[in-house]
Amino acid sequence: MSRALLEALGLFLTPFALYVALLIFRARHPLIAASWSRGALSWLTLAGLALAIGGLVYAGMSGSEQGAYTPAHVENGRLVPGHFQ
């Protein structure tokens, strides 16, 4: 579960990282607040949310069709390892 959240966070932060790269390319300092306009922040946030939601939807729809997990158990005195059915 934490992997999915970290991937979504990475997708959300991608537009901001690209904007920082653009600011550096234009010889502007990305840590100065004047470099970040309010309009740019709005678009970056919307783009980040779209990427994160799209990534979560894609991960949910492309998941494996293995079925339910059966944990390890004992049958007739023998240990049967866990598996997907």
Side-chain angles (χ1 to χ4, degrees), residues 66-83:
Q66 293 181 356
Y69 177 73
T70 303
H73 59 280
V74 177
E75 281 184 13
N76 300 328
R78 209 177 96 231
L79 178 65
V80 178
H83 59 279

Side-chain angles (χ1 to χ4, degrees), residues 20-63:
V20 166
L22 177 71
L23 288 176
I24 291 171
F25 180 72
R26 289 184 173 178
R28 295 183 183 157
H29 200 284
L31 296 179
I32 297 175
S35 299
W36 296 78
S37 67
R38 188 178 278 294
L41 284 176
S42 299
W43 283 108
L44 292 171
T45 303
L46 289 174
L49 285 174
L51 282 173
I53 292 170
L56 288 173
V57 168
Y58 175 76
M61 296 186 77
S62 67

Side-chain angles (χ1 to χ4, degrees), residues 2-16 48 51-52 56:
S2 64
R3 178 182 172 196
L5 292 177
L6 287 175
E7 288 175 356
L9 180 65
L11 287 172
F12 176 76
L13 293 177
T14 299
F16 294 94
L51 282 173
L56 288 173

